[in-house]
Amino acid sequence: MPGAQRATDPPTPPGPWHRVFLDDFTGSRLNTADWATCYDWNDGGCTNAGNHELQWYLPGQVSVGNGDLALTADRRTTHGTDGKTYPWTSGMVSTGRDHWDGAPRHTFTYGWFAAAVKVPVAAEGMFPAFWLIPADARGTPPEIDIAEFINSASHVDSNLHWRAPDGSDTHIGNRYGPADFSGGYHVFAVDWQPDSVTWYVDGVQRFKVTEPAAIPHVAMELVINLAVGFQTAPPPGTDSARLDVGWVAVWQR
């Protein structure tokens, strides 16, 4: 990753940072002490029904080897425990719970969150994301989308969601690109502080929000997932896709 931050590097902005979480995936299997393979509403798998996605997440779509976490989406009819049938199955990881009433593995309030990510080449119909969701509410907003790739391997979206006084989901975002995010690992990061949220791509600041009403102040879980079918379905001939993660780290001040 020439010019990109390494897992052992401190965050770009100066300050007394200390690392509180790191997984560089050097083993041969997922460390389940750090990661669940579903959202907090896991019940024999899960999905994000709010986005009308096409996949049912299962742990068999998550693998670790050669210093890499792989989340694989396959076009395979899958029966969810919610009684619905999904045309795809895929993988995700979260620092949250094994089930609704469980305890989260790791939660974070403020900090620098970074991951080295390589997105699928076949981007149409795919929705890889690296993001933060509230631990206590088990739902959003607030929500910090560190990196979203919506049907694109060349543009990354950064978004911040919060709840307006009338209860509606309000958000602000930025799109950066073009760049070849599928050709190798790139480091996506966010610096979440009590008075700001700042996004970085390969160590370069790309977006910042300082509006007080928008900044979250609740403990968050970290999520990385490969969703399918958000906004558009994969085209015929695309039967699989893979999201690769070289490392994930969190620092705090």
Side-chain angles (χ1 to χ4, degrees), residues 107-133:
T107 65
F108 310 94
T109 307
Y110 314 125
W112 177 281
F113 303 80
V117 176
K118 181 170 63 174
V119 304
V121 175
E124 187 178 355
M126 299 299 158
F127 182 23
F130 170 37
W131 51 313
L132 299 168
I133 61 174

Side-chain angles (χ1 to χ4, degrees), residues 117-121 149 152-156 176-186 188 201-202:
V117 176
K118 181 170 63 174
V119 304
V121 175
F149 304 87
S152 176
S154 59
H155 290 81
V156 58
Y176 169 72
D180 183 10
F181 294 127
S182 65
Y185 290 96
H186 291 264
F188 303 93
V201 178
D202 290 329

Side-chain angles (χ1 to χ4, degrees), residues 39 48 51 53 55 57 71 90-93 127-131 147 223-228 243:
Y39 293 112
N48 186 343
N51 281 344
E53 296 168 359
Q55 83 292 327
Y57 290 117
L71 306 179
S90 190
M92 66 168 288
V93 293
F127 182 23
F130 170 37
W131 51 313
V223 179
I224 305 174
N225 63 293
L226 177 52
V228 182
L243 174 67

